[in-house]
Amino acid sequence: MTDPVDILIIGSGASGAAFAWSMADTRMRIVCLEQGDWVKPTDYPANGRDWEARRYSDADILPNRRQHPADYPVNDTNSITKIATYNAVGGGTVHYAAHFPRLHPSDFRVRSLDGVAEDWPITYRTLEPFFTENDRMMGVAGLANDPSYPDHAYPMPPIPPGRSGTRFAQAMNRLGWHWWPSAAAIATREYEGRAPCINLGHCLPGCAQGAKASTDITYWPAAIRAGVELRTNCRVREITIGPDGMATGAIYYNRDGQEVFQPAHVVVMAANGIGTPRLLLNSVSAKFPNGLANSSGLVGRNLMLHPWPVVQGWFNDEMDGQRGPIVSLWSKQFYETDTSRGFTRGYMLQFGRGPGPVGEAQAGLESGRMPWGPGHHAAMRRYFHRRAHIGIACDDLPEEHNRIILDPTLKDSHGIPAPRIDYTVSPNTAAMMEHGIARATELMREAGAHTTTVSREVLNYPGHLLGTCRMGTNPERSVVNEWGRSHDVRNLFVIDGSVFVTGGGVNPTSTIQAIALYIAQQMKQRLHTLFD
Amino acid sequence: MSNTLANPPPSWGDPNLTDAEKRTLAAMCARMIPASDEFKVPGADDPLIQADIAKSLGRDATAVHDTLALLNRIAGGDFAALPVAKQEEACATLRAEGGMNLTLTTRIVLQCYYRDDRVMISLGMEPRPPFPKGHVLPQGDWSLLDPVRARGKIWRDA
């Protein structure tokens, strides 16, 4: 047993890092437990000639493929979308695309506006100052005054659209559609010690240049300088509870495999939409036999994963290929509800560049566009660096049967039960996906693509893990209150993507971090009445 | 817990190919991507590329062993010893029946082929890793946004 700490944070990713930095000015003793380690930028794939191969091996986005000692397995055989996670200092921000849209105002009011799901207990306006603060801390590039949002600016100018973005922009102008340069947590100039993006290529497996804002290089250095202790290689097994029903701390395994109890006055869950409910479900006691903070039965339920069909297009002239950030533009033309489309809510179109030679050749051989034999070379040159893609980020509304539970047999390397995912696509989401595929295909043709394909079943795996401990004012319909405190355990907080009430149709990291900063501020304002 | 692996676990399969498997693999690669004088590229059966493949099985070692075994079964024996026409017939069957194991095997071949200097140069790429030189992207013309701005607000106030 070690000395008690004031605040114990579980997870060092997007939310845990932002929260730790914000709380550091209280001068309380704050410790964060992270099951992974620091990752050195010199170890990222872009440093080597095998960069593309490593994306399918030790730098894969899927933990089941990657199989690092820091990873835990996920049984996702009962889900059409596979689960992407990353376990290291910085968490999923090390392996994300850094696409940085905010949720829209309407996303927080889906019941009031559209009669579906439930409203959030907070609004876009609640989070607005925290979006701004987070944009500054992460270093976000973008262009102000997008007409699909309330006005806001960014610290840096946007990333270049390149050949493919320009081609799509021109086509959308002809169609009369909305588009805008993507906001991205990627430095486009020197920023707070970070070098600007030099278009190394796909950003997912970590940015060797340090231009991509992962929290190991943004929030954590500032939080550690301010006195927060970050313990790596510490895998938490369970949150413990006292006779008074309050959390007493956490039991974890340290880097030597020893079991350690860390007492804490406040426990903060920041392991995101799979890790957090997994840990709560593993924390059973006489008072909470169905998992900690689970009197509602909603811990693990309402999982939202953002089904993400992709339309690929090939052009006669050269596109960007793998050169540059994955993302370039977004379109919110179909984001807001229009019931004449046959579904409620909507989706974002996310415009991306192309693969490297291995990805192109692999897709070509599998599809038959490229033959085996002498014709391979000419075919490769017809397709390589001539591809661009459109992702369709669908707002999959919460459904209780979409959930994580504990797998009865699968365990991690410490014997801790692993999560199992049950996830299906609703008819509303399926209709949305088909609409998006049709529109993206129409746009591809308008942009000049001679060949298009659709990835409908082999979906992109965005790693957006949301909704499994949602916030709300009704303890029977939510796990935490409107400022992240468990309804059941008054010194237990959830600050990550688990608290989302709905998922919106955009990448969630910006909103996850804004929520973490908002909850930190709420806690600081209530320090003397925090447990009342 | 580390974010790297010191040694491949046994569950990935034997990381080494036998001499017989190496012959089968090279013959299969020659059918998949043959050398080309026109494009000035070696085939995937080139000794340097084969050596790279042989040490790169990693997580897919079992898939490679199984694919090569299937190919020999399809060939009715030693695939590498067949005449070219018969090899092409066997490969056509393999492509129909190989499934995920063939997909993974093919990816390993491609990973090694398309990082070979000669192949990268032929494709117009510089034979180097992305970092530290990076790439140049054309900057955008944001006046293209004028019609988007002109249409005005599209977000719903809530």
Side-chain angles (χ1 to χ4, degrees):
Chain A
M1 178 166 158
T2 59
D3 294 337
V5 299
D6 296 308
I7 298 178
L8 182 63
I9 305 168
I10 316 297
S12 72
S15 62
F19 178 87
W21 168 80
S22 179
M23 292 301 291
D25 62 15
T26 64
R27 302 299 175 195
M28 291 192 286
R29 185 172 177 205
I30 302 169
V31 168
C32 177
L33 301 177
E34 165 56 52
Q35 64 190 318
D37 208 339
W38 292 91
V39 183
K40 297 192 295 290
T42 49
D43 288 340
Y44 290 145
N47 291 283
R49 291 283 291 277
D50 57 351
W51 67 274
E52 205 173 4
R54 290 184 59 197
R55 291 194 55 218
Y56 304 111
S57 55
D58 69 320
D60 201 288
I61 62 170
L62 303 178
N64 289 347
R65 169 75 181 172
R66 201 169 53 230
Q67 298 177 31
H68 287 174
D71 292 319
Y72 56 87
V74 180
N75 180 351
D76 53 17
T77 54
N78 199 29
S79 170
I80 63 161
T81 291
K82 303 309 170 195
I83 301 301
T85 63
Y86 195 67
N87 300 301
V89 176
T93 63
V94 175
H95 266 219
Y96 73 156
H99 204 217
F100 228 62
R102 305 172 176 185
L103 282 188
H104 288 226
S106 69
D107 290 319
F108 297 87
R109 287 288 176 270
V110 297
R111 167 61 67 178
S112 300
L113 292 172
D114 299 322
V116 295
E118 294 182 28
D119 287 347
W120 290 54
I122 59 176
T123 67
Y124 179 91
R125 294 296 181 192
T126 308
L127 295 181
E128 199 161 36
F130 305 101
F131 280 128
T132 302
E133 184 171 35
N134 190 55
D135 284 354
R136 179 180 64 80
M137 284 299 294
M138 291 292 278
V140 177
L143 190 65
N145 303 324
D146 179 349
S148 72
Y149 278 108
D151 288 351
H152 62 274
Y154 298 96
M156 284 177 277
I159 53 178
R163 293 183 177 90
S164 58
T166 299
R167 182 67 70 89
F168 285 131
Q170 292 165 335
M172 282 187 279
N173 280 351
R174 291 194 293 275
L175 292 169
W177 291 7
H178 168 270
W179 64 273
W180 204 256
S182 287
I186 296 173
T188 51
R189 57 172 170 75
E190 297 278 348
Y191 189 83
E192 299 292 331
R194 282 160 52 202
C197 176
I198 52 173
N199 307 305
L200 294 178
H202 283 182
C203 310
L204 289 183
C207 178
Q209 171 81 343
K212 187 176 85 170
S214 47
T215 60
D216 57 328
I217 61 170
T218 58
Y219 278 108
W220 274 117
I224 290 169
R225 280 198 302 273
V228 177
E229 180 187 351
L230 173 56
R231 290 184 202 158
T232 57
N233 300 288
C234 296
R235 173 171 281 154
V236 177
R237 188 184 75 199
E238 63 179 287
I239 309 302
T240 52
I241 223 70
D244 58 355
M246 300 283 274
T248 55
I251 298 171
Y252 68 92
Y253 296 102
N254 67 15
R255 69 174 66 227
D256 299 319
Q258 297 163 325
E259 187 179 304
V260 179
F261 173 58
Q262 175 59 63
H265 300 302
V266 173
V267 175
V268 176
M269 303 300 302
N272 215 10
I274 302 295
T276 287
R278 175 200 181 205
L279 188 47
L280 294 178
L281 292 171
N282 270 317
S283 301
V284 294
S285 61
K287 184 171 177 59
F288 296 103
N290 299 316
L292 187 58
N294 195 22
S295 66
S296 65
L298 294 178
V299 170
R301 292 190 180 273
N302 296 302
L303 175 65
M304 295 171 283
L305 294 174
H306 282 160
W308 200 285
V310 175
V311 174
Q312 308 275 359
W314 285 263
F315 300 80
N316 286 324
D317 46 343
E318 186 164 326
M319 295 284 120
D320 303 313
Q322 82 284 3
R323 299 161 294 195
I326 298 172
V327 296
S328 58
L329 315 175
W330 64 46
S331 171
K332 307 297 180 63
Q333 183 66 28
F334 307 102
Y335 196 86
E336 303 290 354
T337 294
D338 177 347
T339 52
S340 70
R341 296 177 190 143
F343 56 87
T344 306
R345 305 300 301 158
Y347 55 86
M348 170 185 67
L349 297 176
Q350 176 179 302
F351 297 88
R353 306 177 209 271
V358 175
E360 193 61 65
Q362 176 91 11
L365 287 169
E366 286 182 13
S367 68
R369 286 188 301 274
M370 293 180 198
W372 283 36
H376 175 85
H377 302 291
M380 179 68 175
R381 283 152 184 79
R382 279 197 300 276
Y383 291 103
F384 179 53
H385 278 170
R386 283 166 169 71
R387 192 202 308 197
H389 74 269
I390 305 173
I392 302 151
C394 295
D395 182 354
D396 55 334
L397 293 166
E399 300 177 277
E400 289 190 15
H401 61 85
N402 286 336
R403 61 177 183 165
I404 90 146
I405 58 175
L406 299 178
D407 192 277
T409 56
L410 189 65
K411 292 179 169 55
D412 66 22
S413 57
H414 288 90
I416 305 170
R420 189 188 96 183
I421 312 300
D422 293 335
Y423 181 82
T424 58
V425 167
S426 71
N428 188 72
T429 305
M432 189 186 302
M433 292 167 65
E434 292 306 314
H435 188 275
I437 289 166
R439 298 286 73 74
T441 303
E442 175 190 359
L443 176 57
M444 273 290 183
R445 295 294 185 184
E446 180 65 33
H450 58 74
T451 301
T452 61
T453 63
V454 176
S455 299
R456 185 182 279 105
E457 295 175 356
V458 183
L459 299 172
N460 194 19
Y461 308 131
H464 302 169
L465 316 170
L466 307 169
T468 48
C469 294
R470 68 176 175 185
M471 60 163 53
T473 54
N474 182 351
E476 294 181 355
R477 299 292 305 148
S478 55
V479 177
V480 298
N481 71 9
E482 66 274 23
W483 43 282
R485 193 182 76 178
S486 161
H487 292 302
D488 297 345
V489 183
R490 285 172 293 149
N491 64 340
L492 175 69
F493 291 78
V494 182
I495 63 166
D496 55 38
S498 307
V499 304
F500 277 45
V501 180
T502 57
V506 295
N507 317 60
T509 303
S510 172
T511 306
I512 288 173
Q513 293 186 300
I515 289 171
L517 294 173
Y518 154 74
I519 292 175
Q521 191 215 41
Q522 291 290 306
M523 292 174 68
K524 286 189 280 189
Q525 289 176 348
R526 301 164 191 261
L527 279 180
H528 298 293
T529 59
L530 198 58
F531 307 142
D532 290 350
Chain B
M1 272 59 69
S2 170
N3 294 97
T4 56
L5 278 165
N7 297 299
S11 60
W12 293 357
D14 186 345
N16 301 305
L17 295 171
T18 66
D19 288 345
E21 285 177 319
K22 288 177 180 175
R23 284 194 300 275
T24 303
L25 175 68
M28 183 189 79
C29 288
R31 302 280 71 77
M32 184 188 294
I33 307 179
S36 168
D37 292 336
E38 179 186 1
F39 294 103
K40 298 183 173 56
V41 288
D45 60 334
D46 176 85
L48 286 176
I49 296 169
Q50 287 292 301
D52 192 4
I53 294 171
K55 65 182 184 189
S56 303
L57 305 188
R59 288 157 177 75
D60 301 316
T62 298
V64 174
H65 291 300
D66 289 351
T67 295
L68 298 176
L70 174 62
L71 183 55
N72 280 326
R73 284 200 300 276
I74 290 169
D78 184 359
F79 169 81
L82 292 178
V84 168
K86 291 292 185 186
Q87 286 185 350
E88 288 176 346
E89 284 179 22
C91 286
T93 304
L94 178 69
R95 294 188 73 182
E97 299 178 1
M100 182 54 67
N101 284 343
L102 177 60
T103 297
L104 298 172
T105 302
T106 300
R107 191 162 69 194
I108 292 176
V109 173
L110 296 173
Q111 285 168 2
C112 298
Y113 184 75
Y114 282 107
R115 65 186 178 211
D116 180 272
D117 283 9
R118 298 159 291 179
V119 178
M120 292 180 76
I121 290 168
S122 174
L123 281 173
M125 303 175 74
E126 295 178 72
R128 61 170 175 86
F131 185 81
K133 189 175 177 183
H135 303 285
V136 176
L137 268 184
Q139 294 297 313
D141 172 11
W142 298 126
S143 69
L144 282 170
L145 283 166
D146 289 348
V148 181
R149 292 188 174 101
R151 284 194 293 276
K153 166 194 165 190
I154 63 169
W155 59 277
R156 281 198 293 176
D157 206 348

